[in-house]
């Protein structure tokens, strides 16, 4: 383990369990969340709280960010009272939120201008892998930054893949989430087609999960479909965002537009804060 002091911004569904693992591994962690009450769980687990983002940057050597989207990440880094308003020189900033490659490159440039290092490490895996420390970390950045961050990333994930320069990790993340979207939509359409033809939902899920097409994600989401309950592990609005970013970044394959439309409409229909598997609920009408 390295002995870096870690600053962490963003304590949502993913940030909180990731911080818990860093604390359990013995790292000193200082946190900041826009809605301050959401810092409680991390503070109870041993984290300290920064007065603001500038203090988070000033007080720590490695600063990690896990927020919703591109606009939030930009605000956190370069907003009037953002991280880069603090003493950033010589620090390493790691964005683990899912954003576009262009946003990642902008954050990299903004950090360099302040004499700071930057690396992206968006994550593959949801809340359970975040709790278990078994995420897959998709690193984009220099080898130096990667080596400095590796002991920290090894606490958060079971595997780190150094994909290339800044931007490559973001692209890999959008690609894997396209595949996730295809899987969720495929699972929902398959079960609904079977149901419309008289096959019980639990039987169809067994057929899927016990066969070669069953996967980690089909097994993980089957209980939600059976209970028709979709508490957010990965909010549907975030996957709709990722599909939009992938389209904007050139994804133009035959299934990409209908898939994006499906998630976009589900979000517009009020399911944005439900789990991604609520695509089933949207299609079941
Ligand atoms: P979440 O539960 O919705 O939490 C979002 C976090 O972003 C909260 O801490 C929120 O602060 C903060 N935030 C949003 N807008 C902000 C702003 N303008 N300024 C400051 N803070 C802001 O999201 P999550 O599920 O943890 O996901 C975080 C990121 O990880 C997203 O990019 C998502 O795509 C990605 N991701 C999620 C999963 C998953 O399964 N959940 C898996 C892999 C990757 P408040 O508390 O103040 O709202």
């Amino acid at each position: 383990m390295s002995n870096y002091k870690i600053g962490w911004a963003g304590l949502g569904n993913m940030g909180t369990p990731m911080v818990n693992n860093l604390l359990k591994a013995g790292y000193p962690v200082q946190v900041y969340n826009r809605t301050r009450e959401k810092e409680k769980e991390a503070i109870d687990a041993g984290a300290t709280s920064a007065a603001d983002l500038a203090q988070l940057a000033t007080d720590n050597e490695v600063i990690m960010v896990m927020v919703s989207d591109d606009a939030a990440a930009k605000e956190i880094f370069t907003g009037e009272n953002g991280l880069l308003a603090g003493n950033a020189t010589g620090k390493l900033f790691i964005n683990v939120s899912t954003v576009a490659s262009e946003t990642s490159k902008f954050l990299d440039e903004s950090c360099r201008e302040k004499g700071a290092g930057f690396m992206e490490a968006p994550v593959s895996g949801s809340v359970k892998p975040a709790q278990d420390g078994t995420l897959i970390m998709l690193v984009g950045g220099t080898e130096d930054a990667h080596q400095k961050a590796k002991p920290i990333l090894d606490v958060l994930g079971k595997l780190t893949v150094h994909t290339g320069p800044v931007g490559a990790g973001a692209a890999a993340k959008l690609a894997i989430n396209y595949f996730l979207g295809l899987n969720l939509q495929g699972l929902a359409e398959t079960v609904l087609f079977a149901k419309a033809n008289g096959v019980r939902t639990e039987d169809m899920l067994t057929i899927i999960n016990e066969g070669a097409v069953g996967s980690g994600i089909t097994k993980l989401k089957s209980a939600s479909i059976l209970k028709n309950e979709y508490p957010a592990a990965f909010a549907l609005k975030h996957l709709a965002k990722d599909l939009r970013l992938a389209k904007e970044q050139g994804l133009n394959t035959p299934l990409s537009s209908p898939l994006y439309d499906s998630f976009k409409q589900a979000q517009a229909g009020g399911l944005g804060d439900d789990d991604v598997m609520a695509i089933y609920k949207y299609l079941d009408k």
Side-chain angles (χ1 to χ4, degrees):
M1 185 188 112
S2 60
N3 56 358
Y4 293 122
K5 288 163 74 180
I6 301 175
W8 189 286
L11 293 166
N13 288 330
M14 294 295 282
T16 298
M18 292 169 84
V19 163
N20 279 340
N21 283 335
L22 292 174
L23 290 166
K24 272 189 224 150
Y27 281 98
V29 187
Q30 190 183 48
V31 296
Y32 172 88
N33 194 67
R34 178 180 61 177
T35 308
R36 305 307 300 253
E37 307 86 76
K38 290 196 204 160
E39 293 175 1
K40 188 176 181 312
E41 186 177 337
I43 292 168
D44 288 349
T48 56
S49 172
D52 52 29
L53 287 163
Q55 190 197 358
L56 197 72
T58 301
D59 284 0
N60 296 286
E61 296 155 284
V62 174
I63 298 96
M64 307 186 70
V65 176
M66 186 47 136
V67 291
S68 311
D69 55 20
D70 299 58
K74 284 180 177 168
E75 199 179 321
I76 290 273
F77 275 84
T78 62
E80 204 182 332
N81 298 309
L83 291 169
L84 296 178
N87 178 4
T89 312
K91 310 291 175 69
L92 176 63
F93 291 83
I94 307 174
N95 179 46
V96 290
S97 333
T98 304
V99 299
S101 297
E102 278 311 308
T103 298
S104 221
K105 289 176 192 169
F106 167 78
L107 299 177
D108 182 33
E109 247 177 65
S110 306
C111 287
R112 278 171 200 272
E113 279 169 14
K114 296 280 181 177
F118 175 83
M119 198 182 91
E120 63 186 0
V123 305
S124 179
S126 191
V127 170
K128 181 76 168 62
Q131 289 165 342
D132 296 346
T134 56
L135 294 164
I136 301 176
M137 317 299 295
L138 313 181
V139 168
T142 64
E143 186 51 26
D144 274 1
H146 175 216
Q147 285 310 323
K148 183 171 179 179
K150 185 119 187 356
I152 297 170
L153 302 183
D154 285 347
V155 169
L156 301 173
K158 63 177 179 185
L159 176 70
T160 293
V161 182
H162 189 186
T163 58
V166 169
K173 174 61 192 167
L174 296 182
I176 192 67
N177 272 17
Y178 175 50
F179 191 49
L180 172 66
L182 289 169
N183 274 270
L184 296 167
Q185 178 90 15
L187 177 63
E189 289 185 10
T190 300
V191 173
L192 287 167
F193 167 66
K195 188 169 116 178
N197 284 277
V199 181
R200 281 191 305 247
T201 297
E202 62 186 288
D203 286 345
M204 196 61 224
L205 287 168
T206 301
I207 293 164
I208 292 167
N209 289 330
E210 294 300 321
V213 294
S215 68
I217 197 68
T218 63
K219 289 172 188 159
L220 189 67
K221 298 300 183 187
S222 290
S224 280
I225 293 176
L226 284 171
K227 286 191 242 163
N228 201 28
E229 286 173 7
Y230 305 96
F234 181 26
L236 187 143
K237 65 183 175 192
H238 291 326
L239 185 57
K241 172 257 302 180
D242 296 344
L243 295 171
R244 172 179 56 77
L245 293 177
K247 295 287 296 165
E248 288 169 2
Q249 207 159 311
L251 179 66
N252 195 22
T253 49
L255 297 179
S256 61
S257 291
L259 183 70
Y260 172 47
D261 288 345
S262 179
F263 277 85
K264 190 168 65 173
Q265 283 160 22
Q267 182 180 0
L271 296 171
D273 289 322
D274 287 356
D275 188 64
V276 280
M277 198 63 247
I279 197 65
Y280 179 90
K281 192 170 165 183
Y282 166 69
L283 294 168
D284 187 18
K285 57 182 164 47

